[in-house]
Structure formats: structure tokens, C-alpha cells
Amino acid sequence: MNVPLYEKIWMWASGGIIVAFVATVLVTGIGGALQPPSHVETIDPTKVFTDPRFAHPGVSVDANGATVVAFGMMFGFTPGEIRVPAGKPVIFRMTSADVTHGFLIVGTNANTMLVPGYVSQFTTVFKQPGEYLIVCHEYCGLGHHLMAGKLIVEAAKP
Ligand code: CUA
């Protein structure tokens, strides 16, 4: 079979693009660990305020790092201001008391959905002390654009 040179180039280029796309999915999904949280912890969204896991939202700090317990609700986060130490692991445990909200700390890799009925948990480290904006990035109603909070990352005390 006689395949002209230009046709061969296009065939190899098309094949190469497919390989590149599949490789991108594999590298980011497996290598980069960009996966949705796999553990499924459930909660009754109508009982968030009385559930012992969320009855006292706030930050607890110990020698190993900090744990943030928070929830989203139209149209704000509780607590609205979160203070954590820099350079230590921070565990976020969050849920929603009504509809689906988003939780994005701008300029960091902290980014999750708050889905009613589920507890979202992730751990991250904030290296850079400072003030960060927290926004809801899932459309949740008329006040969605007002739904914001503040993260304050405090430098370790000498
Ligand atoms: Cu909450 Cu958008």
C-alpha cells in the first residue's frame, strides 16, 4: 500500500494527539492525585447545628497542626473568619446546611464542594502567612456572589 508522506504525517499526528490526551488524564488523575475525595461520610443536612461533629464550628490548634470545622449555608460560611498556623497541616471538615455550596481559598489548593448530606474533608498546608479570600464557587442562589469568608494564616511565633 502506498501512503503519501503528508498523509502519514497527519496519521501519526492524529495518533499522537490521542496519546497525549489519554496521558494527560492518567498523569493528572493518578500521578497528580487530582481525584475527588473518596471517603464518604454522611450527615443529616437538617441536623447540622445539633450534630456533635458540627455543633461547635471553629478551629482547634495543637502541636501537629489545626482542624477546621465549618459549614456553608445561604449565604455565608460559619465561621466567617478562619485562623490557622502557617507551615502545618490543616484538616478541613465541612458540610452544607442547605444546598450545594463551593469552598475555594483563592491562591491556594484548598478547593472543595460542600454537598448537603456529606462531610467534605481535606488536608493542606499554607506556607505563606497572610489573608486569603474564601469564596463559594458553586451557584447556590440569589446571594451566591455575596458568599465569602476570610482565611488568616498566622506565621509561627518565635
Ligand atoms: Cu454558596 Cu454559592
Side-chain angles (χ1 to χ4, degrees):
M1 189 171 63
N2 180 27
V3 179
L5 176 63
Y6 281 132
E7 207 161 322
K8 276 188 194 157
I9 292 172
W10 282 112
M11 280 163 58
W12 280 104
S14 309
I17 289 170
I18 292 171
V19 169
F21 285 172
V22 171
T24 304
V25 171
L26 293 177
V27 167
T28 56
I30 298 169
L34 292 177
Q35 297 145 358
S38 56
H39 84 288
V40 180
E41 183 180 344
T42 56
I43 183 169
D44 181 345
T46 63
K47 299 199 173 79
V48 169
F49 311 112
T50 49
D51 188 293
R53 292 170 290 173
F54 286 92
H56 306 286
V59 184
S60 54
V61 181
D62 61 27
N64 301 320
T67 302
V68 177
V69 173
F71 61 85
M73 202 181 155
M74 286 188 237
F75 293 103
F77 298 106
T78 304
E81 188 179 299
I82 297 171
R83 264 171 205 276
V84 297
K88 289 190 171 168
V90 180
I91 302 167
F92 285 84
R93 286 180 50 76
M94 289 177 297
T95 190
S96 166
D98 44 36
V99 300
T100 298
H101 296 282
F103 183 89
L104 170 71
I105 305 178
V106 179
T108 73
N109 70 345
N111 180 353
T112 188
M113 284 171 81
L114 308 180
V115 181
Y118 296 93
V119 176
S120 303
Q121 179 172 330
F122 65 90
T123 305
T124 190
V125 176
F126 301 102
K127 294 200 179 88
Q128 203 60 47
E131 267 191 37
Y132 295 82
L133 174 68
I134 303 172
V135 295
C136 172
H137 61 328
E138 293 283 341
Y139 183 73
C140 53
L142 284 179
H144 163 70
H145 60 290
L146 302 171
M147 188 164 173
K150 194 198 284 184
L151 175 85
I152 298 167
V153 179
E154 295 179 317
K157 289 169 190 89

mmCIF file with all atom_site columns, all heavy atoms in Angstrom, residues 64-80:
data_model
loop_
_atom_site.group_PDB
_atom_site.id
_atom_site.type_symbol
_atom_site.label_atom_id
_atom_site.label_alt_id
_atom_site.label_comp_id
_atom_site.label_asym_id
_atom_site.label_entity_id
_atom_site.label_seq_id
_atom_site.pdbx_PDB_ins_code
_atom_site.Cartn_x
_atom_site.Cartn_y
_atom_site.Cartn_z
_atom_site.occupancy
_atom_site.B_iso_or_equiv
_atom_site.pdbx_formal_charge
_atom_site.auth_seq_id
_atom_site.auth_comp_id
_atom_site.auth_asym_id
_atom_site.auth_atom_id
_atom_site.pdbx_PDB_model_num
ATOM 1   N N   . ASN A 1 64 ? 0.488   19.393 66.237 1.00 0.00 ? 64 ASN A N   1
ATOM 2   C CA  . ASN A 1 64 ? 0.648   18.793 64.911 1.00 0.00 ? 64 ASN A CA  1
ATOM 3   C C   . ASN A 1 64 ? 0.073   19.640 63.788 1.00 0.00 ? 64 ASN A C   1
ATOM 4   O O   . ASN A 1 64 ? 0.334   19.379 62.622 1.00 0.00 ? 64 ASN A O   1
ATOM 5   C CB  . ASN A 1 64 ? -0.032  17.418 64.877 1.00 0.00 ? 64 ASN A CB  1
ATOM 6   C CG  . ASN A 1 64 ? 0.543   16.485 65.921 1.00 0.00 ? 64 ASN A CG  1
ATOM 7   O OD1 . ASN A 1 64 ? 1.756   16.472 66.128 1.00 0.00 ? 64 ASN A OD1 1
ATOM 8   N ND2 . ASN A 1 64 ? -0.320  15.750 66.588 1.00 0.00 ? 64 ASN A ND2 1
ATOM 9   N N   . GLY A 1 65 ? -0.776  20.613 64.149 1.00 0.00 ? 65 GLY A N   1
ATOM 10  C CA  . GLY A 1 65 ? -1.429  21.402 63.112 1.00 0.00 ? 65 GLY A CA  1
ATOM 11  C C   . GLY A 1 65 ? -2.765  21.910 63.608 1.00 0.00 ? 65 GLY A C   1
ATOM 12  O O   . GLY A 1 65 ? -2.920  22.218 64.781 1.00 0.00 ? 65 GLY A O   1
ATOM 13  N N   . ALA A 1 66 ? -3.727  21.962 62.707 1.00 0.00 ? 66 ALA A N   1
ATOM 14  C CA  . ALA A 1 66 ? -5.028  22.506 63.095 1.00 0.00 ? 66 ALA A CA  1
ATOM 15  C C   . ALA A 1 66 ? -6.134  21.733 62.408 1.00 0.00 ? 66 ALA A C   1
ATOM 16  O O   . ALA A 1 66 ? -5.935  21.107 61.367 1.00 0.00 ? 66 ALA A O   1
ATOM 17  C CB  . ALA A 1 66 ? -5.117  23.981 62.720 1.00 0.00 ? 66 ALA A CB  1
ATOM 18  N N   . THR A 1 67 ? -7.307  21.777 63.025 1.00 0.00 ? 67 THR A N   1
ATOM 19  C CA  . THR A 1 67 ? -8.512  21.198 62.420 1.00 0.00 ? 67 THR A CA  1
ATOM 20  C C   . THR A 1 67 ? -9.566  22.292 62.334 1.00 0.00 ? 67 THR A C   1
ATOM 21  O O   . THR A 1 67 ? -9.835  22.977 63.328 1.00 0.00 ? 67 THR A O   1
ATOM 22  C CB  . THR A 1 67 ? -9.038  20.015 63.254 1.00 0.00 ? 67 THR A CB  1
ATOM 23  O OG1 . THR A 1 67 ? -8.016  19.030 63.355 1.00 0.00 ? 67 THR A OG1 1
ATOM 24  C CG2 . THR A 1 67 ? -10.262 19.400 62.599 1.00 0.00 ? 67 THR A CG2 1
ATOM 25  N N   . VAL A 1 68 ? -10.113 22.477 61.155 1.00 0.00 ? 68 VAL A N   1
ATOM 26  C CA  . VAL A 1 68 ? -11.150 23.477 60.941 1.00 0.00 ? 68 VAL A CA  1
ATOM 27  C C   . VAL A 1 68 ? -12.476 22.753 60.741 1.00 0.00 ? 68 VAL A C   1
ATOM 28  O O   . VAL A 1 68 ? -12.587 21.891 59.876 1.00 0.00 ? 68 VAL A O   1
ATOM 29  C CB  . VAL A 1 68 ? -10.852 24.331 59.689 1.00 0.00 ? 68 VAL A CB  1
ATOM 30  C CG1 . VAL A 1 68 ? -11.978 25.319 59.425 1.00 0.00 ? 68 VAL A CG1 1
ATOM 31  C CG2 . VAL A 1 68 ? -9.523  25.058 59.848 1.00 0.00 ? 68 VAL A CG2 1
ATOM 32  N N   . VAL A 1 69 ? -13.449 23.103 61.569 1.00 0.00 ? 69 VAL A N   1
ATOM 33  C CA  . VAL A 1 69 ? -14.797 22.565 61.410 1.00 0.00 ? 69 VAL A CA  1
ATOM 34  C C   . VAL A 1 69 ? -15.672 23.729 60.967 1.00 0.00 ? 69 VAL A C   1
ATOM 35  O O   . VAL A 1 69 ? -15.749 24.751 61.650 1.00 0.00 ? 69 VAL A O   1
ATOM 36  C CB  . VAL A 1 69 ? -15.317 21.955 62.725 1.00 0.00 ? 69 VAL A CB  1
ATOM 37  C CG1 . VAL A 1 69 ? -16.787 21.561 62.583 1.00 0.00 ? 69 VAL A CG1 1
ATOM 38  C CG2 . VAL A 1 69 ? -14.478 20.745 63.108 1.00 0.00 ? 69 VAL A CG2 1
ATOM 39  N N   . ALA A 1 70 ? -16.292 23.615 59.805 1.00 0.00 ? 70 ALA A N   1
ATOM 40  C CA  . ALA A 1 70 ? -17.061 24.737 59.263 1.00 0.00 ? 70 ALA A CA  1
ATOM 41  C C   . ALA A 1 70 ? -18.204 24.215 58.409 1.00 0.00 ? 70 ALA A C   1
ATOM 42  O O   . ALA A 1 70 ? -18.192 23.068 57.980 1.00 0.00 ? 70 ALA A O   1
ATOM 43  C CB  . ALA A 1 70 ? -16.156 25.639 58.429 1.00 0.00 ? 70 ALA A CB  1
ATOM 44  N N   . PHE A 1 71 ? -19.182 25.073 58.188 1.00 0.00 ? 71 PHE A N   1
ATOM 45  C CA  . PHE A 1 71 ? -20.234 24.687 57.243 1.00 0.00 ? 71 PHE A CA  1
ATOM 46  C C   . PHE A 1 71 ? -20.667 25.893 56.422 1.00 0.00 ? 71 PHE A C   1
ATOM 47  O O   . PHE A 1 71 ? -20.466 27.045 56.798 1.00 0.00 ? 71 PHE A O   1
ATOM 48  C CB  . PHE A 1 71 ? -21.425 24.019 57.948 1.00 0.00 ? 71 PHE A CB  1
ATOM 49  C CG  . PHE A 1 71 ? -22.132 24.872 58.958 1.00 0.00 ? 71 PHE A CG  1
ATOM 50  C CD1 . PHE A 1 71 ? -23.134 25.748 58.573 1.00 0.00 ? 71 PHE A CD1 1
ATOM 51  C CD2 . PHE A 1 71 ? -21.793 24.778 60.293 1.00 0.00 ? 71 PHE A CD2 1
ATOM 52  C CE1 . PHE A 1 71 ? -23.780 26.529 59.513 1.00 0.00 ? 71 PHE A CE1 1
ATOM 53  C CE2 . PHE A 1 71 ? -22.438 25.555 61.244 1.00 0.00 ? 71 PHE A CE2 1
ATOM 54  C CZ  . PHE A 1 71 ? -23.434 26.439 60.853 1.00 0.00 ? 71 PHE A CZ  1
ATOM 55  N N   . GLY A 1 72 ? -21.239 25.611 55.284 1.00 0.00 ? 72 GLY A N   1
ATOM 56  C CA  . GLY A 1 72 ? -21.766 26.646 54.408 1.00 0.00 ? 72 GLY A CA  1
ATOM 57  C C   . GLY A 1 72 ? -23.273 26.636 54.468 1.00 0.00 ? 72 GLY A C   1
ATOM 58  O O   . GLY A 1 72 ? -23.900 25.602 54.711 1.00 0.00 ? 72 GLY A O   1
ATOM 59  N N   . MET A 1 73 ? -23.850 27.823 54.304 1.00 0.00 ? 73 MET A N   1
ATOM 60  C CA  . MET A 1 73 ? -25.291 27.972 54.362 1.00 0.00 ? 73 MET A CA  1
ATOM 61  C C   . MET A 1 73 ? -25.609 29.257 53.615 1.00 0.00 ? 73 MET A C   1
ATOM 62  O O   . MET A 1 73 ? -24.831 30.192 53.645 1.00 0.00 ? 73 MET A O   1
ATOM 63  C CB  . MET A 1 73 ? -25.681 28.122 55.836 1.00 0.00 ? 73 MET A CB  1
ATOM 64  C CG  . MET A 1 73 ? -27.092 27.767 56.148 1.00 0.00 ? 73 MET A CG  1
ATOM 65  S SD  . MET A 1 73 ? -27.325 28.032 57.906 1.00 0.00 ? 73 MET A SD  1
ATOM 66  C CE  . MET A 1 73 ? -29.058 28.299 57.904 1.00 0.00 ? 73 MET A CE  1
ATOM 67  N N   . MET A 1 74 ? -26.762 29.307 52.950 1.00 0.00 ? 74 MET A N   1
ATOM 68  C CA  . MET A 1 74 ? -27.091 30.530 52.210 1.00 0.00 ? 74 MET A CA  1
ATOM 69  C C   . MET A 1 74 ? -27.037 31.744 53.138 1.00 0.00 ? 74 MET A C   1
ATOM 70  O O   . MET A 1 74 ? -27.803 31.766 54.092 1.00 0.00 ? 74 MET A O   1
ATOM 71  C CB  . MET A 1 74 ? -28.487 30.425 51.625 1.00 0.00 ? 74 MET A CB  1
ATOM 72  C CG  . MET A 1 74 ? -28.607 29.498 50.429 1.00 0.00 ? 74 MET A CG  1
ATOM 73  S SD  . MET A 1 74 ? -30.244 29.693 49.764 1.00 0.00 ? 74 MET A SD  1
ATOM 74  C CE  . MET A 1 74 ? -30.829 28.039 49.847 1.00 0.00 ? 74 MET A CE  1
ATOM 75  N N   . PHE A 1 75 ? -26.254 32.756 52.989 1.00 0.00 ? 75 PHE A N   1
ATOM 76  C CA  . PHE A 1 75 ? -25.199 32.891 52.008 1.00 0.00 ? 75 PHE A CA  1
ATOM 77  C C   . PHE A 1 75 ? -23.939 33.283 52.758 1.00 0.00 ? 75 PHE A C   1
ATOM 78  O O   . PHE A 1 75 ? -23.519 34.430 52.738 1.00 0.00 ? 75 PHE A O   1
ATOM 79  C CB  . PHE A 1 75 ? -25.558 33.985 50.971 1.00 0.00 ? 75 PHE A CB  1
ATOM 80  C CG  . PHE A 1 75 ? -26.743 33.572 50.126 1.00 0.00 ? 75 PHE A CG  1
ATOM 81  C CD1 . PHE A 1 75 ? -28.002 34.098 50.368 1.00 0.00 ? 75 PHE A CD1 1
ATOM 82  C CD2 . PHE A 1 75 ? -26.589 32.629 49.124 1.00 0.00 ? 75 PHE A CD2 1
ATOM 83  C CE1 . PHE A 1 75 ? -29.087 33.701 49.595 1.00 0.00 ? 75 PHE A CE1 1
ATOM 84  C CE2 . PHE A 1 75 ? -27.682 32.252 48.342 1.00 0.00 ? 75 PHE A CE2 1
ATOM 85  C CZ  . PHE A 1 75 ? -28.933 32.773 48.579 1.00 0.00 ? 75 PHE A CZ  1
ATOM 86  N N   . GLY A 1 76 ? -23.381 32.331 53.465 1.00 0.00 ? 76 GLY A N   1
ATOM 87  C CA  . GLY A 1 76 ? -22.153 32.603 54.207 1.00 0.00 ? 76 GLY A CA  1
ATOM 88  C C   . GLY A 1 76 ? -21.535 31.316 54.722 1.00 0.00 ? 76 GLY A C   1
ATOM 89  O O   . GLY A 1 76 ? -22.122 30.233 54.618 1.00 0.00 ? 76 GLY A O   1
ATOM 90  N N   . PHE A 1 77 ? -20.328 31.468 55.260 1.00 0.00 ? 77 PHE A N   1
ATOM 91  C CA  . PHE A 1 77 ? -19.646 30.344 55.886 1.00 0.00 ? 77 PHE A CA  1
ATOM 92  C C   . PHE A 1 77 ? -19.622 30.573 57.390 1.00 0.00 ? 77 PHE A C   1
ATOM 93  O O   . PHE A 1 77 ? -19.488 31.702 57.852 1.00 0.00 ? 77 PHE A O   1
ATOM 94  C CB  . PHE A 1 77 ? -18.207 30.222 55.373 1.00 0.00 ? 77 PHE A CB  1
ATOM 95  C CG  . PHE A 1 77 ? -18.103 29.952 53.911 1.00 0.00 ? 77 PHE A CG  1
ATOM 96  C CD1 . PHE A 1 77 ? -17.711 30.961 53.036 1.00 0.00 ? 77 PHE A CD1 1
ATOM 97  C CD2 . PHE A 1 77 ? -18.401 28.701 53.392 1.00 0.00 ? 77 PHE A CD2 1
ATOM 98  C CE1 . PHE A 1 77 ? -17.614 30.727 51.675 1.00 0.00 ? 77 PHE A CE1 1
ATOM 99  C CE2 . PHE A 1 77 ? -18.306 28.464 52.023 1.00 0.00 ? 77 PHE A CE2 1
ATOM 100 C CZ  . PHE A 1 77 ? -17.913 29.468 51.178 1.00 0.00 ? 77 PHE A CZ  1
ATOM 101 N N   . THR A 1 78 ? -19.735 29.499 58.151 1.00 0.00 ? 78 THR A N   1
ATOM 102 C CA  . THR A 1 78 ? -19.610 29.578 59.599 1.00 0.00 ? 78 THR A CA  1
ATOM 103 C C   . THR A 1 78 ? -18.467 28.673 60.017 1.00 0.00 ? 78 THR A C   1
ATOM 104 O O   . THR A 1 78 ? -18.523 27.482 59.714 1.00 0.00 ? 78 THR A O   1
ATOM 105 C CB  . THR A 1 78 ? -20.906 29.109 60.301 1.00 0.00 ? 78 THR A CB  1
ATOM 106 O OG1 . THR A 1 78 ? -21.990 29.888 59.801 1.00 0.00 ? 78 THR A OG1 1
ATOM 107 C CG2 . THR A 1 78 ? -20.799 29.253 61.804 1.00 0.00 ? 78 THR A CG2 1
ATOM 108 N N   . PRO A 1 79 ? -17.402 29.196 60.658 1.00 0.00 ? 79 PRO A N   1
ATOM 109 C CA  . PRO A 1 79 ? -17.162 30.612 60.930 1.00 0.00 ? 79 PRO A CA  1
ATOM 110 C C   . PRO A 1 79 ? -16.760 31.370 59.670 1.00 0.00 ? 79 PRO A C   1
ATOM 111 O O   . PRO A 1 79 ? -16.212 30.788 58.749 1.00 0.00 ? 79 PRO A O   1
ATOM 112 C CB  . PRO A 1 79 ? -15.999 30.559 61.934 1.00 0.00 ? 79 PRO A CB  1
ATOM 113 C CG  . PRO A 1 79 ? -15.297 29.270 61.649 1.00 0.00 ? 79 PRO A CG  1
ATOM 114 C CD  . PRO A 1 79 ? -16.325 28.314 61.139 1.00 0.00 ? 79 PRO A CD  1
ATOM 115 N N   . GLY A 1 80 ? -17.015 32.681 59.669 1.00 0.00 ? 80 GLY A N   1
ATOM 116 C CA  . GLY A 1 80 ? -16.707 33.507 58.511 1.00 0.00 ? 80 GLY A CA  1
ATOM 117 C C   . GLY A 1 80 ? -15.239 33.868 58.436 1.00 0.00 ? 80 GLY A C   1
ATOM 118 O O   . GLY A 1 80 ? -14.730 34.226 57.373 1.00 0.00 ? 80 GLY A O   1
#
